[in-house]
Amino acid sequence: MRLPFVFGAGHHDRSQPAMRLRLPAIPFIIEGMLRRFGIILLLTSTAFAGIVEDVRGSLAQSNFTSAESELGAYKAKLGVTPEYLEALSWMGRVALEMQQYSQATGYAKQTQTLATALLKTRALDAEPHLPIALGAALEVQALSLAGRGQKMQGIALLRRSLQTYGNTSIAARLHKNLNLLTFVGQPAPALKTAEYLGIRPASLAPLKGSPLLLFFWAHWCVDCKGEAPILAQLRSEFKDLTIIAPTQRYGYAARGEDATPQAELAYINAVWQQYYSGLRGVSVPVSKNNFNVYGASTTPTLVLIDRSGKIAFYHPGALPYNELRAAIEKVIKG
């Protein structure tokens, strides 16, 4: 069984670099994740206006001392702001990548404590930095517990967090991490299919007996477009493989301009026709609920469901042809 650990940006994990960690206490981590999804932290320092970039730049050099200094100078001048907390959250994320679990947990708890204090005077989703910071803090704590062999405690933390933040923008992120720890081997949740593009999606129950690949994508997602030809090739090679491509609205269309639900749906359809021509005939259910349940805060998210209707493979992020093909072969032969 294979389990990727992926860090995303928050609201929709848009193009945020992702990373996968090999945690010795969980034997099903995929080999080589750090190579493919290592944090890309090559951003230029831009003084206090770019504290997140400054801290990430220092962390790219594994320089925690410099990052701490930048955080301290910013805090002394501007106090604890949402931007400060997002920058602080990166300390925990990188410490976790280095398997420094105690250090990662310390940074994450500090981030959570300060974020909770800010929430006394503002809503979580009033701006983007605070949910990114809090989502990362909860994520790092849960995965640090799993890395130390305390997987059940990590699961419990995520479930408690969902009870508190299940109606906020970080819900999908929390579900994603919960799914990373629990999903494989469980029956695949049903999809909401009332709204869709193309062919009406079948419910999952009648598809039992055939392997199924769920490809969660977004109209703005560059990595999703890059995955499209890989999926088209695999679809041609595995004739009994069914692909369903769930997506959702994000409230905007081309160039990030606000769009009505109907206008955005038309734009989603246009993107699908232009960039996913090799997947014609694939059903595209449109539902935020599907993304929340499957924890698809990172796009693409790839989920393989075996012939018995159970999840056999769960991967937030793009995959190269050879790796996805190997996963599909394993499901088909299993």
Side-chain angles (χ1 to χ4, degrees), residues 167-185:
N167 292 321
T168 72
S169 65
I170 67 173
R173 184 174 191 167
L174 295 171
H175 275 292
K176 174 183 69 179
N177 287 283
L178 185 60
N179 291 347
L180 283 167
L181 297 178
T182 64
F183 231 18
V184 172

Side-chain angles (χ1 to χ4, degrees), residues 210-230:
S210 299
L212 170 65
L213 173 63
L214 301 181
F215 167 57
F216 288 85
W217 66 285
H219 60 67
W220 47 262
C221 175
V222 175
D223 286 347
C224 300
K225 296 180 177 75
E227 197 77 13
I230 295 173

